[in-house]
């Protein structure tokens, strides 16, 4: 489903070129879950951005369903994100001007896959029933991240990309959110790529890789 | 305190755009306000100097036939024991082509309490009276004479005709562009022989006018300051508007700077800085920024005033005959006042910031939840405030309806201001309601739904800029329609009144011969002889009763005939046009709108007109428009005016047949009656000059209008730039969710254009209301005549296009920055949120 082949990525910084990814190759099969671990600044988020077509590699290819993402024009990459991917960020990034229900259905509506029964089911599963008319800032941190997960899964994408989804939450809430995330991933049978520095987050997943100085290594938990 | 202040100011190192916008707002507000005040101060200084001289301080005697006096006539009056003094007035042309007014006086017979007599005390009277005489001149006029101030004393500049002026003596109290000297020296320069322009007397020294002369009391002469009061009030209103719009920018920038520093302020409080110290530090910050902005604004204002002063001088000269200096003359209180107004405005705009800082809750760190309910409260307050302002506007309107027309200049301006304020305050609640309704309707269109919901979120930060835009657009439309309507009316009026292709101005005694000669010319279809004279409107008899008035008026005689009467515009008649003209030919009079407004007269009322040797009571048959004339005028048939008031001919219009050879007629006429080439004026030339004066009159209005709109555009740009960063943070997740950047950029532009379009649509009825206020209230109060209300669909379309254009222009830069930001930068900003 998702494949990185000999990917290189370098950023220009005031201190000189910064080699973030160096000859990175990986494969993620449909329905598989993968944790990508590493220190801060190791390039985890860059890898996730490349996977989502938010950024492009300098060398190598990133393919989704055997399609080279870098060769697609920007509108097509946007369409790919809209229809095939779900994205969950550490900072939630809900749309403050929309209510809970409108946030939840936003991506599904953009992808023209809005299904009322499914979103009603999601609302129940997310524990946000009765809060549909609230605005994001009226929710707690855990509720906001649950809503962000629901938004990503509302169009039932085949691949969910999550960048430190529990990084902004306390330990208890983080556990609850992770449990919900994995449960919904199982329910929707989508593939999952999580970027995290937490072994607790990585542990329940099928596979775990570590990114160190731009190189990808198999990791033992 | 220094540490707290430097910590607060460090915010602007990270956000220099906010600092620039803050200073920009202060600068433009202060520049436009102080520029206009500089013009007003200079004009008032000129009026004060003119007032202090002769024209409005002395009773004046003039010959009834308008001809100059001779010295013999003056001597006869003196020998009859009358305390009169001679005066000679004319123009001299300097080598650079400037025309200066030359006034010759006799200080021995001139009233002692006159400004000139007082100005003379420091100099020897004999030097003034005896050759080589002296020229008293204001420093403003030195440049035209080609003399520097240092070399002015005793200089004898040469005029364009080669004559030299008597040695100069500086007299700062004199009006600009005026030279004063002994009457003998003035007679030599003006080559006036034994002619005198007029004879003056101390106010009240003469009980009545000697036979054959008219006496105009000083008390009935309007000073330039009185005449031009409305013009300066108009300028001040426009300056105030620009100041308010500029302060919108300041308020927007200050509000954002506070919002972004809330965390910093709370940290400072937590670290032990007292609330009082924090408010003091913020006040010091405001003062510091205010001083920089105000000083820059005042300096630019003086520059702007220098730029506009020639046009203002031309306007005042052509409208009111008021001369003002071309050099700025600014008293000390101008500088202090400018600084105080700028700092006061800043304090007004910043008071909300200080209030919020004083009430800062230390425990509510980083809490942003209250904004929605807070803004709802603000919208409610705006609605209530708007309703109150509208109530005031309605109350003023009702009050004005019970006043006689022509009263209530200040009330008229206040009414317009209240209307503007009400509309501005209602705009954000209106936009909020509109957006809410549209958001509800667009539920099935996710991006449009998002854009509308997001616009609701942006509204608190944009509302001030939108209010500024509404005010600027409505004022532009209102003033533009008024000027456009005035232009149409004026051109129409010129066409109606100037029906003859040729106008003759000849010496009065030649008209009879010329008329007789022209009567035999087959190509001359009609001769329209006019006459002029002055009189005093002694009393008016209306259905309410008789009242005495005592106002000087102009008498103007026309020849009613088939060329003139069908076109001559009439505003009100007793019955109908034909009856009015029939009555006119039989001796009834028409009065101009100014006189009707000032004295509350209607057709059917009777006026008693008093002139030496004549005392007539005549019926008003109609009221006619007389645009641009500051005086009351009575119109009667030319033969009637000659018979009743012995008025001399003043001009003659020649209506020619289609096949007439104008050039041949002109040449024959000039040659046969030995007339100067300027004795015959072409109708087109008169219209061209009149139109030129008209266009120049509104130059400053247009300039200020355009500047106000530019300031509103800046306010919008400032609001957008200051929130550009947070906007990108809101747009980045959408882009990550799969909305292409091009679509987001388009949505961004569409959001703002839509809001601006709604604002523009509201500006149209408001602009029409302002036009009405200007033509129906302010114009009548200021000038005495009412203009028809013209609406220009083209102008309205331009208003809408301007609104959208301004919004697109203001949104272009932030959108371009979003468009050009790399995905990584967007995500980095997102992560740093």
């Amino acid at each position: 489903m998702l494949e990185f082949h000999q990917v290189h990525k370098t950023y220009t910084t005031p201190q000189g070129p910064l080699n973030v990814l160096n000859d990175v190759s990986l494969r993620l099969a449909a329905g598989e879950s993968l944790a990508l671990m590493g220190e801060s600044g190791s390039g985890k988020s860059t890898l996730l951005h490349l996977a989502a077509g938010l950024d492009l590699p300098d060398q190598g290819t990133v393919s989704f369903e055997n399609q080279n993402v870098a060769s697609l024009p920007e509108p097509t990459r946007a369409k790919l994100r809209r229809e095939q991917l779900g994205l969950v960020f550490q900072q939630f990034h809900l749309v403050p001007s929309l209510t809970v229900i409108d946030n939840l259905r936003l991506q599904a509506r953009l992808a023209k896959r809005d299904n009322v029964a499914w979103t009603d089911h999601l609302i129940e599963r997310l524990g946000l029933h009765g809060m549909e008319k609230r605005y994001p800032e009226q929710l707690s941190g855990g509720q906001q991240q649950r809503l962000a997960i629901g938004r990503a899964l509302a169009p039932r994408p085949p691949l969910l990309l999550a960048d430190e989804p529990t990084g902004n939450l306390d330990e208890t809430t983080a556990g609850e959110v992770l449990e919900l995330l994995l449960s919904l991933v199982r329910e929707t049978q989508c593939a999952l790529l999580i970027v995290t520095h937490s072994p607790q987050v990585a542990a329940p997943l099928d596979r775990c890789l570590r990114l160190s100085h731009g190189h990808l290594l198999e990791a033992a938990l | 305190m220094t540490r707290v202040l430097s910590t607060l100011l460090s915010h602007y190192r990270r956000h220099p755009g906010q600092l620039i916008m803050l200073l920009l707002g202060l600068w433009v507000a202060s520049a436009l306000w102080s520029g206009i005040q500089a013009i007003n101060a200079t004009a008032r200084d000129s009026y004060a100097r003119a007032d202090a001289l002769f024209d409005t301080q002395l009773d004046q005697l003039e010959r009834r036939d308008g001809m100059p006096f001779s010295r013999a006539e003056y001597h006869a009056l003196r020998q009859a024991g009358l305390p009169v003094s001679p005066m000679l007035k004319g123009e001299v042309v300097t080598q650079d082509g400037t025309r200066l007014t030359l006034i010759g006086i006799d200080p021995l017979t001139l009233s002692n309490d006159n400004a000139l007599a007082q100005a003379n005390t420091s100099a020897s009277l004999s030097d003034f009276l005896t050759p080589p005489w002296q020229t008293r001149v204001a420093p403003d006029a030195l440049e035209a004479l080609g003399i520097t101030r240092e070399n002015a004393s005793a200089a004898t500049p040469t005029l364009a005709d080669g004559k030299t002026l008597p040695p100069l003596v500086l007299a700062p109290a004199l009006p600009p562009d005026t030279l004063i000297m002994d009457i003998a020296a003035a007679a030599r320069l003006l080559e006036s022989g034994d002619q005198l322009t007029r004879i003056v007397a101390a106010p009240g020294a003469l009980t009545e006018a000697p036979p054959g002369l008219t006496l105009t009391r000083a008390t009935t002469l309007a000073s330039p300051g009185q005449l031009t009061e409305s013009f300066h009030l108009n300028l001040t209103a426009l300056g105030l508007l620009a100041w308010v719009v500029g302060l919108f920018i300041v308020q927007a920038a200050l509000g954002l700077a506070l919002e972004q520093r809330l965390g910093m302020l709370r940290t400072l409080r937590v670290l032990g800085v007292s609330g009082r110290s924090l408010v003091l530090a913020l006040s010091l910050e405001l003062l510091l920024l205010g001083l920089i902005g105000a000083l820059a604004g005042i300096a630019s204002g003086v520059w702007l005033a220098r730029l506009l002063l020639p046009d203002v001088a031309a306007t005042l000269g052509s409208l009111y005959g008021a001369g003002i200096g071309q050099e700025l003359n600014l008293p000390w209180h101008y500088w202090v006042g400018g600084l105080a107004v700028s700092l006061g405005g800043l304090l007004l705009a910043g008071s909300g910031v200080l209030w919020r800082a004083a009430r800062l809750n230390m425990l509510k760190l980083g809490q942003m939840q209250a904004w929605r309910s807070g803004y709802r409260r603000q919208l409610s307050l705006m609605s209530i405030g708007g309703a109150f302002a509208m109530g005031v506007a309605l109350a003023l309107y009702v009050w004005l309806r019970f006043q006689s027309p022509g009263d209530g200049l200040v009330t008229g301006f206040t009414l317009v201001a209240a209307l503007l304020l009400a509309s501005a305050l209602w705009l954000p609640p209106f936009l909020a309601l509109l957006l809410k309704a549209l958001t509800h309707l667009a539920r099935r269109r996710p991006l449009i739904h998002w854009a509308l919901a997001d616009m609701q979120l942006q509204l608190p930060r944009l509302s001030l800029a939108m209010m500024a835009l509404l005010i600027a657009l409505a004022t532009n439309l209102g003033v533009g329609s008024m000027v456009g309507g005035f232009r149409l009316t004026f051109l129409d009026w010129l066409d109606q009144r100037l029906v003859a292709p040729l106008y003759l101005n000849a010496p009065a005694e030649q008209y009879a011969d010329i008329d007789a000669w022209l009567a035999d010319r087959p190509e001359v279809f009609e001769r329209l002889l006019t006459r002029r004279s002055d009189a005093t409107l002694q009393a008016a008899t209306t259905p309410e009763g008789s009242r005495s008035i005592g106002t000087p008026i102009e008498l103007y005689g026309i020849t009613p005939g088939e060329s003139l009467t069908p076109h001559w515009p009439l505003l009100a008649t007793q019955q109908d046009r034909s009856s009015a003209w029939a009555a006119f030919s039989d001796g009834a009079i028409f009065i101009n709108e100014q006189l009707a407004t000032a004295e509350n007269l209607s057709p059917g009322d009777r006026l008693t007109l008093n002139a030496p040797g004549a005392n007539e009571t005549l019926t008003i048959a109609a009221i006619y428009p007389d645009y641009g004339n500051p005086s009351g005028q009575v119109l009667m048939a030319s033969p009637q005016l000659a018979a009743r008031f012995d008025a001399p001919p003043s001009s003659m219009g020649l209506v020619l047949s289609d096949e007439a050879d104008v050039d041949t007629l002109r040449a024959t006429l000039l040659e046969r009656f030995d007339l100067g080439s300027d004795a015959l004026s072409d109708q087109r030339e008169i219209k061209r000059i009149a139109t030129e004066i008209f266009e120049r009159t509104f130059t400053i209005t247009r300039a200020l209008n355009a500047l106000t709109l530019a300031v509103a555009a800046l306010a919008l740009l400032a609001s957008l730039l200051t929130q550009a960063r947070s906007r990108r943070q809101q747009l980045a997740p959408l882009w990550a969710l799969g909305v292409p950047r091009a679509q987001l950029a388009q949505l961004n532009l569409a959001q703002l254009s839509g809001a601006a379009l709604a604002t523009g649509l509201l500006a149209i009825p408001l602009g029409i209301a302002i036009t009405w206020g200007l033509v129906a209230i302010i114009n009548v109060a200021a000038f005495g005549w009412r203009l028809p209300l013209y609406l220009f669909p083209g102008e309205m379309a331009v208003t809408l296009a301007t609104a959208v254009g301004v919004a697109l222009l203001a949104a272009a830069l932030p959108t371009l920055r979003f468009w050009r930001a790399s995905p990584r930068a967007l995500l980095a900003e997102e992560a740093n949120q």
Side-chain angles (χ1 to χ4, degrees), chain B residues 71-86 106 108-111 199-201:
Chain B
R71 280 175 196 254
E73 287 170 296
Y74 164 67
H75 289 311
L77 291 171
R78 289 293 299 188
Q79 281 162 5
L82 297 177
V84 291
S85 182
D106 173 19
L108 293 174
T109 54
L110 195 65
S111 147
I199 292 174
V200 295

Side-chain angles (χ1 to χ4, degrees), chain B residues 374-718:
Chain B
Y375 188 59
R376 269 201 289 270
R377 260 200 314 279
Q378 209 175 325
L379 287 179
S380 305
L381 285 175
M382 281 177 166
S383 305
I384 294 167
F388 177 74
M390 189 52 85
V392 169
L394 285 174
L396 289 174
Y397 172 70
V398 171
W399 187 80
L400 276 169
R401 285 189 71 88
F402 289 101
Q403 302 303 303
S404 52
D407 281 350
L409 183 62
V410 176
T411 314
F413 273 114
T414 315
L415 169 62
V416 170
L419 265 180
L420 279 173
L421 182 66
S423 310
L425 285 172
W426 275 344
L427 178 68
F430 167 77
L431 287 178
L433 274 177
L434 183 70
L435 285 169
K436 198 173 174 184
L438 290 175
T439 308
H440 187 73
L441 288 175
R443 282 203 168 275
R444 311 293 305 172
R445 311 286 299 275
L447 272 183
I448 296 174
H449 183 232
W450 167 81
L452 291 165
D454 177 70
M455 202 57 206
Q456 290 186 60
L457 201 66
Q458 287 192 63
L459 199 55
R461 286 178 183 167
L462 282 181
S463 54
L464 273 176
M466 285 296 174
M467 287 158 82
L469 184 65
L470 175 74
I471 290 176
L473 285 172
T475 312
N476 251 274
L477 179 63
V479 174
S481 299
M482 188 273 284
V483 174
F486 193 3
R487 183 187 287 110
L488 278 185
T489 311
F490 180 72
L491 294 178
D492 213 22
W493 175 77
L494 271 183
D495 285 343
Q496 289 160 344
R497 292 196 54 167
L498 297 175
V499 291
L502 274 182
Y503 283 85
L504 171 71
N505 281 290
E509 62 274 10
Q510 283 190 286
Y511 277 102
D513 294 341
I514 294 171
D515 188 51
W517 182 76
L518 287 171
D520 294 333
R521 307 286 305 183
E523 71 270 37
V524 179
F525 180 66
E526 206 172 4
R527 296 157 342 263
L528 305 173
L529 185 67
T530 68
R531 293 173 185 272
R532 273 182 194 280
S533 187
D534 296 306
T536 304
L537 173 55
Q538 211 63 358
T541 307
T542 64
E544 288 80 38
S546 265
R547 55 191 155 94
S548 49
I549 297 173
T551 305
I553 51 155
E554 296 171 0
L555 297 176
Y556 187 52
I558 59 168
T559 306
E562 59 183 285
S563 306
L564 196 64
T565 51
H567 305 290
W568 190 280
L570 295 178
L571 296 172
T573 56
Q574 206 171 356
Q575 292 171 355
D576 52 48
R577 279 185 67 92
S578 55
S579 312
W581 281 108
F584 184 79
S585 298
D586 289 344
I589 54 171
F590 292 172
I591 60 170
N592 69 357
E593 191 184 6
Q594 287 84 319
L595 183 59
T597 304
E599 304 301 340
N600 200 14
L601 299 168
S602 309
D605 295 346
R606 291 170 65 77
L607 302 184
T608 303
L609 303 173
N610 187 16
N615 201 344
E616 298 278 350
T617 298
L618 303 162
T619 304
I620 301 171
I623 296 169
Y624 62 95
D626 193 11
Y627 303 112
N629 183 358
S631 311
Q633 192 180 70
V634 166
L635 192 71
M636 59 181 79
S638 214
Q640 299 279 353
L641 187 59
R644 293 170 191 265
F645 292 91
D646 195 20
S650 59
S651 73
M652 182 185 281
L654 306 182
V655 185
L656 306 176
S657 59
D658 291 342
E659 56 277 4
D661 182 346
V662 178
D663 291 337
T664 309
L665 177 68
R666 176 194 288 266
T668 315
L669 193 59
L670 294 181
E671 190 187 337
R672 185 177 180 92
F673 293 96
D674 193 23
L675 299 169
S677 59
D678 57 349
L680 274 170
S681 309
D682 190 71
Q683 179 214 61
R684 281 169 302 183
E685 181 64 7
I686 298 171
K687 281 184 184 170
R688 190 190 63 75
I689 294 168
T691 312
E692 201 172 278
I693 291 171
F694 176 90
E695 297 296 347
R696 200 159 186 195
T697 300
F698 288 102
T699 306
I700 186 165
T701 311
R702 285 198 199 93
L704 286 174
N705 253 333
L707 283 173
T708 309
L709 195 58
V711 174
L714 272 178
L716 199 56
L717 178 66

